[in-house]
C-alpha cells in the first residue's frame, strides 16, 4: 500500500470529525475527512484509502449506502470499514452492517483508546494483505504463471475477513443457537 494511503473519516458534524481526528492522531497515520457519503465515495474511488471510519446516518447518501456501493466495486470491496452511530445499535442495523462485511460497529461517543486499537489492527492488516497480494503477483510473473488464460484465472489471496461468518442464520433464535452448541 502506498505511503500516501490514508484513513478516511466521514461524518456530517464538524465537531465529531475533529474529535475522531484527535483520537487517531497519536497513531501517526495520514488522515482524510469527508462530510457526506457522496464526498466519501468520490475519495474512496480516487484511491489511496486504506480504512474508512463512516457515520451511519448522514443527510443524502447514508453510511450503509456507501458500504453497499463499495462492496460492488472491485477496487474498493476489501477496504475495511468501521461504522459509527450515535443512535445506539439495533438488531437490524447490526445485521445489515455485518452482512455487508463491515469490520465493526462503534457507538458514539467513542472510547479513543479502543478506537485506536481497532484502527491500528484493521489498517495494518489491510496493508499487509495488499503487500502479500503484490508479492504473489510478482512471484507469479517471475515463474511464468502470468500467461494463464482468462478461462482459468487464479484467485488472489482471500480477504482477511473471509473466514468470519457475516450474519446469523435467518430465523434463528437464541434458544436454537444454544441448542446447536450442545
Amino acid at each position: 500500500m502506498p505511503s500516501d494511503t490514508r484513513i478516511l473519516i466521514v461524518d456530517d458534524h464538524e465537531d465529531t470529525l475533529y474529535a475522531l481526528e484527535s483520537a487517531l492522531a497519536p497513531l501517526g497515520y495520514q488522515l482524510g475527512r469527508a462530510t457526506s457519503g457522496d464526498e466519501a465515495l468520490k475519495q474512496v474511488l480516487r484511491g489511496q484509502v486504506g480504512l474508512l471510519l463512516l457515520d451511519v446516518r448522514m443527510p443524502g447518501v447514508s453510511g450503509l449506502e456507501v458500504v453497499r456501493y463499495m462492496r460492488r466495486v472491485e477496487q474498493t470491496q476489501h477496504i475495511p470499514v468501521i461504522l459509527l452511530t450515535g443512535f445506539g445499535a439495533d438488531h437490524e442495523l447490526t445485521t445489515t452492517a455485518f452482512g455487508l462485511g463491515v469490520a465493526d460497529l462503534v457507538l458514539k461517543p467513542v472510547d479513543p483508546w479502543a478506537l485506536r486499537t481497532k484502527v491500528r489492527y484493521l489498517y495494518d492488516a489491510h496493508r499487509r494483505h495488499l503487500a502479500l497480494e503484490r508479492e504473489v503477483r510478482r512471484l507469479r510473473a517471475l515463474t511464468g504463471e502470468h500467461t494463464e488464460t482468462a478461462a482459468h484465472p487464479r484467485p488472489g489471496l482471500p480477504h482477511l475477513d473471509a473466514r468470519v461468518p457475516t450474519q446469523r442464520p435467518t430465523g434463528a433464535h437464541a434458544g436454537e443457537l444454544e441448542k446447536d452448541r450442545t
Side-chain angles (χ1 to χ4, degrees):
M1 185 177 299
S3 61
D4 61 345
T5 302
R6 67 189 183 287
I7 296 169
L8 182 61
I9 304 168
V10 186
D11 199 292
D12 56 321
H13 293 100
E14 190 69 30
D15 55 337
T16 303
L17 285 171
Y18 178 76
L20 292 169
E21 288 172 333
S22 297
L24 297 177
L27 294 176
Y29 299 135
Q30 186 176 5
L31 303 174
R33 60 167 37 201
T35 57
S36 70
D38 189 47
E39 184 183 344
L41 277 173
K42 289 176 186 174
Q43 289 192 43
V44 167
L45 290 172
R46 281 188 211 118
Q48 310 308 336
V49 173
L51 176 75
L52 194 61
L53 267 72
L54 182 62
D55 188 23
V56 173
R57 296 187 186 172
M58 294 181 288
V61 179
S62 75
L64 288 174
E65 290 171 310
V66 170
V67 176
R68 280 187 188 99
Y69 185 81
M70 287 175 59
R71 296 309 185 229
R72 290 192 310 252
V73 177
E74 185 176 347
Q75 76 187 52
T76 63
Q77 62 186 273
H78 294 302
I79 295 172
V81 176
I82 297 175
L83 279 180
L84 306 166
T85 182
F87 293 96
D90 61 59
H91 179 71
E92 184 177 336
L93 173 60
T94 302
T95 301
T96 302
F98 288 116
L100 290 170
V102 168
D104 203 356
L105 180 63
V106 176
L107 299 178
K108 295 182 212 174
V110 299
D111 173 0
W113 183 85
L115 183 64
R116 281 192 295 269
T117 301
K118 291 173 187 194
V119 164
R120 183 183 308 116
Y121 171 78
L122 290 169
Y123 186 69
D124 290 348
H126 184 65
R127 288 180 11 180
R128 286 190 304 273
H129 177 78
L130 292 178
L132 283 171
E133 282 185 337
R134 280 193 304 274
E135 183 65 10
V136 166
R137 282 193 301 274
R138 186 186 72 77
L139 290 172
R140 284 184 179 152
L142 288 173
T143 61
E145 290 184 27
H146 65 286
T147 59
E148 297 177 45
T149 64
H152 302 302
R154 284 200 184 257
L157 293 173
H159 189 264
L160 61 111
D161 293 332
R163 61 188 177 274
V164 178
T166 56
Q167 64 186 28
R168 282 181 140 168
T170 306
H173 298 287
E176 292 172 325
L177 292 175
E178 288 300 319
K179 181 176 64 178
D180 290 341
R181 290 185 195 160
T182 57

